[in-house]
Amino acid sequence: MRPIMALCLTALAACSAEPRPVGDGQTGESERGFEPPVLINAESPVVYPVDLFEREVEASVVLRLYSSAEGLIEPESTQVAESSGYPALDSAAVWGVLEMRFAPARRDGTPVATLFLQPVHFRHPARVAQGERP
């Protein structure tokens, strides 16, 4: 793979900066004083699968993640909450979790463990430049 292609593949698989809490009554509930975890990676660690990139396939995956009070993701608890419809994109998002770094969720300023939903969007530069959306 050409170096520029590898850079493009990594840069275009983007994680939303706005995770959504999972309201289960124990962790991640939406309430006043609750702040969800915040992705702090400067660049997305998710790699766009080459064959789907070349075909300009775009889609989104929503991951269900568990973050400790230190902001560490428990990889074994990672699940695909909403599939992209492409197993390769779903797998790429799950593998990217291993490199994702988060500031912890906070309740009234105190770091807490929580469950949350993290969207991962796969967008092709040619389609983004044209203003298209899947």
Side-chain angles (χ1 to χ4, degrees):
M1 181 180 343
R2 288 177 244 147
I4 190 72
M5 178 69 92
L7 178 62
C8 289
L9 297 179
T10 300
L12 294 173
C15 298
S16 169
E18 297 296 326
R20 302 182 312 224
V22 176
D24 66 357
Q26 298 295 315
T27 57
E29 57 267 9
S30 289
E31 60 185 52
R32 241 185 305 177
F34 180 79
E35 301 169 40
V38 176
L39 184 67
I40 58 176
N41 294 68
E43 292 184 23
S44 174
V46 179
V47 177
Y48 210 132
V50 175
D51 60 327
L52 296 176
F53 179 85
E54 289 173 350
R55 293 179 14 219
E56 298 185 17
V57 170
E58 295 187 329
S60 296
V61 179
V62 178
L63 300 175
R64 182 177 184 264
L65 305 175
Y66 175 80
S67 171
S68 71
E70 293 76 33
L72 301 174
I73 299 300
E74 300 292 334
E76 60 276 356
S77 68
T78 299
Q79 297 177 356
V80 174
E82 296 174 26
S83 174
S84 65
Y86 296 91
L89 293 182
D90 294 352
S91 293
V94 170
W95 279 103
V97 169
L98 299 173
E99 300 299 321
M100 288 182 191
R101 301 293 174 251
F102 290 86
R106 295 183 178 275
R107 181 174 290 118
D108 297 324
T110 303
V112 294
T114 192
L115 290 170
F116 65 103
L117 298 176
Q118 178 65 51
V120 179
H121 307 288
F122 292 88
R123 302 289 180 253
H124 194 278
R127 297 184 71 182
V128 170
Q130 297 168 3
E132 294 180 29
R133 288 285 169 238

